[in-house]
Amino acid sequence: MAISSVQAVAADPKGAVFETDLPARLDRLPWGRFHTLLVFALGITWLLDGLEVTLAGSVSGALKDSPVLHLTNADIGLAGGAYICGAVLGALFFGWLTDRLGRRKLFFITLALYITATAATAFSFSVWSFLLFRFLTGMGIGGEYTAINSTIQEFTPARFRGWVDLTINGTFWIGAALGAVGSIVLLDASWVGADMGWRLCFGIGAVLGLIILLMRLWLPESPRWLLIHGQGEEARVIVEGIEERLRRQGHDLSAPTGPPLRLHARDHTPLKEIFHTLFNTYRRRALVGLTLLTAQAFFYNAIFFTYALVLTEFYQVPSASIGWYVLPLALGNFCGPLLLGRLFDVVGRRVMISLTYAVSGVLLTVSGYLFQQGILDVTQQAIAWMIIFFFASAAASSAYLTVAETFPLEIRALAIAVFYAFGTALGGIVGPTLFGELIDTHERGPVFFGYLIGAALMLLAAVVQAIWGVASEGKSLEEVARPLSQAHD
């Protein structure tokens, strides 16, 4: 019989043992207005990252021409590396805090850091100040990933989790489109001019961040996190509040199925237990997560951070027009997760993740060869990238979905942080720096070699996922990964 609230059942040296059906009640909910508002208030983080990454590429020509900064191609690549480095460290630090202090506190702290840092970027006065502010902006975004992904996973009903997660990740490209349009307008000499324009571009993120800050005020803490930390009554009130709102909106709620969870309350999870769980208990899952995130990080950060440089160096596209070529990429990237996302819940994670990674790798190889041979003009190159990123965007989004849902609740945020950090450090910091140097050769052959590295990593990730990936579609988070605090029967 279902437990209607959180009930203590025993005393235990590890902490009070209690039974609860709250996770099952969250998973059986129909999609309602609460879930839609949650997606808008939290998922918009990806939009901000897309905005930042696009701005960094779209304004690169203006940054090189700036009378104050005078950035070189290598400096542009280094700035991309600084942003990613900040995201790596921010994910690790804030991910650890998210599991200890709660999801809600951290997604306010990380957003405040982002707003401050991206606003400061607009006032950069030297190469090193620009690099520092990009680093701090990355820290805010990296911290956002851990708090946001864990919260969304823990609120979303199991049968919608794949499609929702991929679609949210796809909003990165709405931000990319905003960045592209903003750069087109603000870099136009007839408006404010390139030097003032690139500064105003970075102000877009700060303004959006302030709006998002207000949207998040109504969001509750994750009931699953509250349960683990012995705050069962508060978790019950939150879940019952969501249920009551859905009933008022005309939804009929079915009874939760399955036996209740028996959990130990705990204050925190020791680091020793965290790393034992990640790299011993779930070492195959760790390998899968690391491989998926490394491959997509290199693929995206290497190519997208330097996309504007390829257009200016090899196709002589004026820097003020770069945004027009980013828009078709943004369209392909957004449509991929949106249109393919449902298949990750219906066909399954294993097949779809492997397929999207493999297709991306093959298409990148073919496109890179055509680029190296000089067969594609700039329009054809943009179309080729749009097709590639249609599949690659779904693949990259599925990597975040994988690491967020295949590790236990107590370490979910830190697991996201650890694999994001390792994957991004390996693929995201090296990638932009390497491609900056390859483009500086002014020859297509070395750039094609870089594309081949990205393609090989995507194909390797497809194989690893096909062999060891977890079929988690339609399952509760607690079924996919048993909570560390779950009491043994």
Side-chain angles (χ1 to χ4, degrees), residues 71-414:
L71 299 189
T72 64
N73 285 340
D75 290 332
I76 298 292
L78 187 59
Y83 177 84
I84 296 300
C85 185
V88 166
L89 296 179
L92 288 172
F93 177 64
F94 292 120
W96 174 70
L97 287 181
T98 298
D99 282 330
R100 290 180 69 94
L101 303 181
R103 292 17 176 164
R104 192 173 190 273
K105 290 179 183 176
L106 267 295
F107 61 59
F108 280 109
I109 293 171
T110 54
L111 182 58
L113 174 59
Y114 165 78
I115 293 170
T116 303
T118 196
T121 304
F123 296 94
S124 298
F125 51 86
S126 66
V127 173
W128 290 107
S129 66
F130 183 78
L131 295 177
L132 172 62
F133 296 143
R134 294 301 293 162
F135 172 82
L136 294 175
T137 301
M139 279 198 73
I141 289 294
E144 281 272 290
Y145 278 153
T146 58
I148 297 312
N149 277 294
S150 52
T151 305
I152 291 173
Q153 291 273 339
E154 291 162 15
F155 271 112
T156 302
R159 62 192 180 282
F160 300 116
R161 199 168 59 237
W163 180 76
V164 168
D165 206 77
L166 263 70
T167 302
I168 287 172
N169 292 350
T171 61
F172 176 102
W173 298 101
I174 297 178
L178 285 175
V181 172
S183 68
I184 291 169
V185 174
L186 295 175
L187 296 180
D188 189 335
S190 63
W191 286 76
V192 293
D195 192 51
M196 179 58 71
W198 72 259
R199 296 179 186 275
L200 293 177
C201 282
F202 285 108
I204 297 173
V207 173
L208 285 175
L210 289 171
I211 296 172
I212 298 164
L213 199 64
L214 296 175
M215 292 175 61
R216 290 183 180 177
L217 292 175
W218 63 271
L219 290 177
E221 179 58 88
S222 164
R224 283 176 155 107
W225 184 88
L226 290 169
L227 284 172
I228 295 300
H229 290 79
Q231 301 176 53
E233 184 61 21
E234 186 178 345
R236 181 189 63 78
V237 170
I238 291 171
V239 174
E240 289 183 352
I242 297 170
E243 291 173 333
E244 180 57 31
R245 272 177 275 179
L246 288 169
R247 290 190 182 98
R248 287 200 304 267
Q249 293 161 19
H251 295 284
D252 293 323
L253 306 186
S254 60
T257 58
L261 280 174
R262 299 178 73 249
L263 301 170
H264 296 281
R266 58 168 61 188
D267 176 66
H268 69 282
T269 302
L271 286 174
K272 182 179 179 181
E273 184 179 6
I274 290 172
F275 284 97
H276 181 270
T277 303
L278 288 177
F279 301 113
N280 190 337
T281 307
Y282 290 111
R283 59 181 173 272
R284 282 190 176 178
R285 296 185 182 187
L287 174 63
V288 172
L290 179 61
T291 306
L292 293 179
L293 280 171
T294 300
Q296 68 83 31
F298 185 93
F299 185 96
Y300 264 94
N301 292 304
I303 295 169
F304 202 73
F305 265 119
T306 55
Y307 179 61
L309 299 181
V310 171
L311 292 178
T312 55
E313 290 288 335
F314 297 105
Y315 293 104
Q316 290 72 53
V317 174
S319 59
S321 301
I322 294 297
W324 291 114
Y325 294 91
V326 174
L327 290 176
L329 266 71
L331 178 64
N333 275 283
F334 178 65
C335 289
L338 183 67
L339 299 179
L340 298 177
R342 190 64 186 143
L343 297 177
F344 286 75
D345 286 319
V346 177
V347 176
R349 310 281 201 263
R350 224 171 189 176
V351 172
M352 288 305 300
I353 295 175
S354 297
L355 180 63
T356 51
Y357 267 83
V359 170
S360 301
V362 171
L363 291 178
L364 177 60
T365 302
V366 174
S367 165
Y369 175 75
L370 295 176
F371 165 79
Q372 191 265 339
Q373 294 295 311
I375 295 174
L376 302 179
D377 62 28
V378 67
T379 302
Q380 293 167 334
Q381 182 69 67
I383 293 172
W385 284 122
M386 184 172 66
I387 296 170
I388 292 170
F389 282 125
F390 177 85
F391 295 98
S393 182
S397 298
S398 69
Y400 291 94
L401 169 67
T402 298
V403 298
E405 68 180 358
T406 55
F407 293 95
L409 168 68
E410 295 85 348
I411 62 171
R412 177 163 295 119
L414 189 57

